[in-house]
């Protein structure tokens, strides 16, 4: 077993199965691998020095691009809907319409703010967004081996791309599916493009993007990274899937949610702010 899996933050329902999947993936080699990952609170830190780190939405909410009145409204939405997002006593069916309501209201408020495209980079630079410790190795290693990294996010594409760009790791093997802003000819936000992606329709998004997966048809082994149970379906568009290893970051309400995460993720990382486990797993799978 890979030494990092004895780290105290690691929980596994079935370590033997994890070992089997890892061995199969290693035998198949890096040319058969693709990585599919969520962004907010998966590639970015949940907290730093005891303080919550921002999601891509929060980067805007906390920035100078938003009026005080709008900030208060967005914070109210967060206070109302985030507890629902992480409530393990409610079913997905019950939560889904409420999540759509959250995303729709938040996007409407953002559009009213006449955000200027050229101001996004500064908002990201001044934010407290942080990729998880070890991100450089993660992105660089995948790039060196030409392993595609697909980021599937219900956050804001323009903002998260900027986070990755400013960290110097937006390599050509990275592809992002997310909610993108639509700017008018003078560069002012007028709407969001395409179908709304929220935490519970990543499966539909994946199935709409089968063109992308077709390009990667020979990549039948998937390493999936997520932090919400909605992230588990991100690989549903992959054809001829051979092996999938699902790693889930359990950031919040750990005791209440442990069992449901263990039931659905192969490896659960409890309050682990690092990329240590994905990094060592990638080294192992790619034969290093
Ligand atoms: P994701 O990480 O699954 O892509 O989801 C994005 C996260 O963004 C989700 O955990 C909820 C959060 N969020 C905000 O922080 N503010 C918002 O206004 C909205 C709509 C979502
Ligand atoms: Mg997330």
């Amino acid at each position: 077993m890979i030494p990092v899996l004895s780290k105290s933050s690691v929980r596994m329902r079935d370590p033997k199965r994890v070992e089997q999947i890892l061995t199969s993936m290693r035998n198949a080699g890096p040319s058969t691998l693709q990585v599919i990952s969520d962004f907010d609170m998966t590639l970015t830190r949940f907290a730093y020095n005891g303080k919550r780190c921002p999601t891509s939405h929060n980067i805007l909410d906390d920035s100078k691009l938003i009026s005080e009145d709008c900030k208060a409204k967005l914070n109210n939405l967060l206070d109302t809907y985030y507890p629902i997002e992480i409530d393990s006593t409610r079913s997905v069916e019950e939560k889904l319409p409420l999540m759509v309501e959250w995303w729709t209201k938040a996007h409407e408020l953002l559009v009213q703010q006449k955000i200027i495209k050229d101001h996004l980079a500064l908002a990201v630079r001044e934010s407290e967004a942080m990729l998880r410790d070890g991100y450089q190795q993660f992105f660089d290693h995948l790039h060196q081996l030409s392993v595609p990294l697909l980021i599937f996010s219900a956050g804001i594409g323009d903002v998260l791309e900027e986070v990755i760009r400013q960290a110097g790791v937006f390599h050509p093997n990275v592809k992002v599916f997310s909610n993108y802003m639509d700017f008018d000819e003078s560069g002012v936000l007028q709407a969001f493009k395409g179908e709304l992606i929220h935490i519970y329709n990543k499966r539909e998004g994946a199935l709409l993007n089968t063109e992308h997966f077709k390009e990667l048809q020979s990549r039948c082994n998937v390493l999936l990274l997520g932090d919400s149970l909605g992230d588990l379906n991100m690989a549903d568009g992959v054809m001829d899937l051979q092996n999938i290893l699902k790693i889930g970051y359990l950031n919040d309400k750990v005791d209440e949610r442990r069992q449901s995460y263990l039931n659905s993720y192969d490896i659960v990382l409890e309050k682990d702010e690092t990329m240590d486990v994905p990094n060592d797993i990638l080294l192992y799978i790619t034969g290093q």
Side-chain angles (χ1 to χ4, degrees), residues 38-42 55-58 61 74 77-78 82 85 99 102-104 106-107 152-155 198-199 202 227-228 231:
D38 168 52
F39 184 75
D40 290 305
M41 309 296 117
T42 296
T55 60
S56 54
H57 277 101
N58 302 152
D61 304 355
L74 286 162
L77 292 180
L78 186 69
Y82 177 67
E85 180 191 342
M99 294 297 107
W102 182 13
W103 258 255
T104 307
H107 286 187
F152 220 120
S153 170
H198 54 80
I199 52 164
K202 291 193 177 183
D227 79 293
S228 125
D231 296 330

Side-chain angles (χ1 to χ4, degrees), residues 53-66:
C53 291
T55 60
S56 54
H57 277 101
N58 302 152
I59 291 175
L60 286 184
D61 304 355
D62 300 341
S63 77
K64 292 179 193 143
L65 307 184
I66 307 288

